[in-house]
Amino acid sequence: MVNKVILIGNLGQDPDLRYTTSGTAVATLSVATNRRWKDREGNMQDETEWHRVIVWAQAAEFCGNYLSKGSKVYVEGRIQTRKWQDQNGDDKFTTEIISNVIQNLTPKDGEGGGSGNRRSQEQGYSGPPVPPSTGDDVPF
């Protein structure tokens, strides 16, 4: 079975970097992807989809240090749906992308465009697999 997601989008806000009680870094990203098409009448239509992306450990530190609102990012990971209860005891669900690869596609000043270049560690992080579950140690 396969559970793999690849996104290229823009950050809607600065990464929210926090730490678990055990000291592991966790970053939450809000990534927007866009879709454009022509409707039956020939009018251009736009649709924006927002994705909640969770990044762990060294990759989370990378996000906190090198990404900001508006950054174009490449995200690779898996989909996870979590169930939780609100203050009224009602069941709620949230679907997230748990990322294990993240790259900054926004060119640095002075560099030409081209998101096809593989850049140094400063521009991206591809690390070991993320923890298998978020558990009770999640700071949000």
Side-chain angles (χ1 to χ4, degrees), residues 8-133:
I8 296 177
N10 292 46
L11 294 186
Q13 59 190 29
D14 289 344
D16 180 16
L17 181 62
R18 299 182 187 192
Y19 293 87
T20 64
T21 54
S22 62
T24 303
V26 183
T28 303
L29 311 177
S30 181
V31 178
T33 56
N34 299 307
R35 181 172 81 104
R36 177 174 258 195
W37 74 98
K38 282 188 181 181
D39 63 17
R40 290 183 180 172
E41 291 79 37
N43 300 316
M44 291 304 294
Q45 300 293 319
D46 289 308
E47 178 181 77
T48 301
E49 185 75 31
W50 288 93
H51 310 275
R52 179 181 167 97
V53 178
I54 308 299
V55 186
W56 288 89
Q58 291 172 318
E61 295 278 356
F62 163 80
C63 292
N65 290 328
Y66 297 105
L67 300 179
S68 60
K69 180 179 180 177
S71 295
K72 182 173 279 195
V73 293
Y74 169 90
V75 175
E76 193 172 312
R78 63 183 170 83
I79 295 175
Q80 174 179 287
T81 300
R82 288 188 298 124
K83 179 181 174 181
W84 52 280
Q85 290 186 336
D86 67 10
Q87 294 174 346
N88 299 327
D90 296 328
D91 288 343
K92 300 290 183 179
F93 296 88
T94 189
T95 300
E96 306 162 324
I97 309 302
I98 308 300
S99 175
N100 60 342
V101 175
I102 186 120
Q103 283 192 317
N104 184 359
L105 299 180
T106 302
K108 289 190 221 177
D109 291 342
E111 282 188 18
S115 62
N117 300 359
R118 289 280 176 177
R119 297 201 178 112
S120 67
Q121 174 70 16
E122 183 177 299
Q123 287 298 102
Y125 184 84
S126 174
V130 295
S133 80

